[in-house]
Amino acid sequence: MRILLVEDDESIIQILTATLSEQNYVVDVAMDGEAGWQLVETYVYNLVLLDVMLPKLDGISFCQRLRSRRSAVLVMLLTARKTPADKLAGLDSGADDYMVKPFHPAELVARVRALLRRGTTAPSAVLTCGNLRLDPSAREVTCEGQALHLSRKEYLLLELFLHSQQQVFSRGDIVDRLWSYGEDPPVEDTVKSHIKSLRRKLSKAGAVDLVETLYGQGYRINPAYGAVAAVQVPPRPPQPPQTIQATLHRVWEQTRGLCFERVAILEQTIAALQATTLDAAQHQAACQSAHKLSGSLGMFGFDTASQLARKIEEILETNDRPLKSAQVSLAQQLQPWVTAIAHSLTLPLPGEAACATLLVIDSDAAFIQTIEAEAANCGLRVVPAVSLSSSEIQLQLSPAAVLLNLSLVHDPTEQSLWAKSRAGQPQLPILVLSERDDLEERRRATAVGGQLFLRKPVSAQEAIAAVQLLLHPQSQHLKVLAVDDDPQILLGIAAVLQPHRIELVGLEGSGQFWQTLKTVQPDLLILDVNLPQANGLELCRSVRQDFRWHWLPVVLLTDQQDSATRQQGYAAGADDFIAKANLTTELALRVLNRLNRSRSRRPTPEKDFPYT
């Protein structure tokens, strides 16, 4: 399938073209609206990925022009604007879907796959011919059960032939469908070479002469094989391939320099603000740099840095051409955020194996050195801060844990401000050190969010052992069973729980519920209220009636917030409710709380069920 990407951010272009190409899509790229329009008038596309804020012709106008020409091509808008009015404007222009930047490439792939399924009559068909079988959802080709390892172009050739088994494809047809606009046009021998290589692999697997040459016309599936209609199979859950992380890493290494250049523009803007010499051109360049950093850093997984860039963009847009009297204070406001973004560019790509960060807030340099040496033995990287104010930047970068000397918290006002600075990180593990051990000091430790308290003097070994206890509180392997008929919801739950070392087993639908429950032996159950067959309320009620499972904590997922639904859920025996809209903000906290409370209640089979 052929996709047109119209986007003006080079980083995002490289991420999306690399990711979509890994999924065997042919991707053409345009960096402004008018260039994109020329391509859409020249080629036939299955989907257009369209940035809203484009030079020359914006995405909304582009989409409106498409629909005015009665074009049925699918359109997905990509934008940093996320208000309801922005979304309505995009959908009213004729777009089929809408994604808000930043987003993870794996999510985009899943949404693209779902959108393309909507636009085809056989969304999850396995293509067959003789003993040959091509599964587009898994991108697998087998012949008599033997897997064929094809290159990307060979796979696309075979998919093209199998989709239209009676059609003859000339070399020009093949080039138009399988080579993107940005690629160098292949010579005649290049197409022949790919066909020859595909035939050789097919013959080796037993499909001899599957691809037939009609001299002077082109290529097609050999009629001697007898074309078999596509076999419909249930769609697989959209599982992003493991190659997405590798692709992100490769593109990040190629485009990291662009991010540094954009940060440099912001640093130059701050210098101009401090000197009260900011002009309109510098202001506009800073807005554009912040906008592009917000989108690209978020796609690479630097969520906090992306949010800071978005804040900078909003403040600069609000303070258009600030008065000289306000420029210095504006520079002071933006400086720590730009510093935090610059520091994030030096960190490993999120999702890669790397040392966790321990933020140590203490003015004792000798103590910090001993902590650094001990932490290194445990795979922790220490980032020191000598005061609460200097720790705010490091907190924006989401350390794994904090070691805080309580003597640096001098008054309730400072304590409150620091608590606000970490308000977006309610899960942040904090170990508090103090030279006092009285009730008032422990109250202060609680006020700053401390979960563990140690009295000084304390050795580095004791401190790091306490940090490790905070980071890995669960010594046993914890499992959660989630039942939902939406595979994307299951993927989202798994992503939220994985950082807490909680294994998720997802079950699509309730058909195999009891068999899966007995096999998995979960510590907690998550049920979608609106399930086909037996719904979540019915499953919850049946769990409470079972003498082996009546203790199992049950959390219900729902799109409904009305009191009647909650009353029905609690009457069925549910322990908690979570709105699907709040999965990322509440799910991990609530699940961890339920697991911690229920561990002591879980029965032991040998003790509680001696006859089973």
Side-chain angles (χ1 to χ4, degrees), residues 127-413:
L127 306 172
T128 64
C129 185
N131 293 322
L132 190 73
R133 186 177 187 272
L134 185 148
D135 184 351
S137 65
R139 305 199 320 280
E140 293 177 348
V141 179
T142 58
C143 186
E144 297 182 352
Q146 176 185 350
L148 273 70
H149 302 288
L150 305 180
S151 70
R152 178 171 176 269
K153 279 292 192 288
E154 291 163 1
Y155 174 91
L156 292 174
L157 275 169
L158 184 59
E159 185 180 35
L160 176 66
F161 294 146
L162 291 179
H163 262 300
S164 304
Q165 298 186 18
Q166 305 298 324
Q167 184 175 344
V168 178
F169 294 93
S170 68
R171 293 190 186 94
D173 294 333
I174 292 171
V175 170
D176 286 344
R177 292 172 183 252
L178 304 188
W179 268 262
S180 65
Y181 172 76
E183 290 182 277
D184 292 332
V187 297
E188 181 176 329
D189 287 344
T190 302
V191 177
K192 285 183 177 180
S193 176
H194 285 297
I195 295 286
K196 182 178 179 181
S197 178
L198 174 61
R199 280 175 169 158
R200 184 174 64 252
K201 292 179 180 180
L202 290 171
S203 296
K204 188 175 180 180
V208 181
D209 295 331
L210 177 72
V211 178
E212 180 185 46
T213 301
L214 297 179
Y215 291 98
Q217 299 180 54
Y219 307 92
R220 70 174 180 184
I221 293 294
N222 191 335
Y225 273 81
V228 180
V231 180
Q232 193 72 21
V233 296
R236 297 187 178 204
Q239 300 178 349
Q242 296 178 351
T243 54
I244 286 184
Q245 187 63 33
T247 300
L248 279 177
H249 175 81
R250 185 178 70 251
V251 176
W252 174 242
E253 292 304 316
Q254 294 169 350
T255 63
R256 190 199 301 250
L258 282 173
C259 294
F260 277 112
E261 291 173 10
R262 290 164 184 166
V263 169
I265 291 174
L266 295 180
E267 290 173 339
Q268 293 164 10
T269 301
I270 289 175
L273 286 169
Q274 291 170 336
T276 66
T277 59
L278 183 72
D279 58 32
Q282 287 175 307
H283 184 272
Q284 180 63 25
C287 287
Q288 291 177 351
S289 295
H291 176 78
K292 291 186 176 182
L293 280 170
S294 176
S296 59
L297 288 178
M299 293 187 69
F300 283 115
F302 294 104
D303 296 334
T304 302
S306 171
Q307 292 165 12
L308 291 176
R310 180 64 181 146
K311 285 183 180 181
I312 293 171
E313 180 189 6
E314 291 173 349
I315 289 175
L316 288 173
E317 287 179 343
T318 303
N319 295 272
D320 186 21
R321 298 183 184 180
L323 298 173
K324 288 189 174 182
S325 58
Q327 289 189 22
V328 174
S329 61
L330 184 58
Q332 293 173 344
Q333 182 180 8
L334 300 181
Q335 179 68 71
W337 296 346
V338 174
T339 302
I341 294 172
H343 181 62
S344 71
L345 301 184
T346 67
L347 299 177
L349 196 66
E352 293 183 343
C355 293
T357 299
L358 172 64
L359 174 59
V360 179
I361 309 173
D362 199 310
S363 56
D364 186 342
F367 177 69
I368 290 177
Q369 282 185 347
T370 61
I371 289 291
E372 287 178 334
E374 185 64 27
N377 296 330
C378 302
L380 290 171
R381 181 173 67 96
V382 169
V383 175
V386 297
S387 67
L388 292 185
S389 59
S390 66
S391 72
E392 290 183 8
I393 291 176
Q394 287 90 335
L395 279 171
Q396 296 286 0
L397 300 174
S398 302
V402 174
L403 192 157
L404 170 65
N405 186 338
L406 199 56
S407 66
L408 297 179
V409 182
H410 300 296
D411 58 67
T413 303

Side-chain angles (χ1 to χ4, degrees), residues 529 537 541 556 560 562-574 577:
V529 170
L537 296 176
R541 196 174 292 114
L556 293 180
Q560 303 172 14
D562 58 284
S563 59
T565 300
R566 288 182 172 270
Q567 290 175 7
Q568 292 174 6
Y570 289 129
F577 271 82

Side-chain angles (χ1 to χ4, degrees), residues 568-608:
Q568 292 174 6
Y570 289 129
D575 297 279
D576 203 354
F577 271 82
I578 297 179
K580 290 189 176 182
N582 298 331
L583 277 183
T584 57
T585 56
E586 296 184 11
L587 179 67
L589 181 62
R590 293 196 180 189
V591 166
L592 286 169
N593 285 340
R594 290 291 165 189
L595 287 171
N596 287 331
R597 294 176 186 176
S598 67
R599 276 185 299 167
S600 59
R601 292 192 295 145
R602 178 166 186 161
T604 302
E606 295 79 10
K607 178 181 176 182
D608 298 88

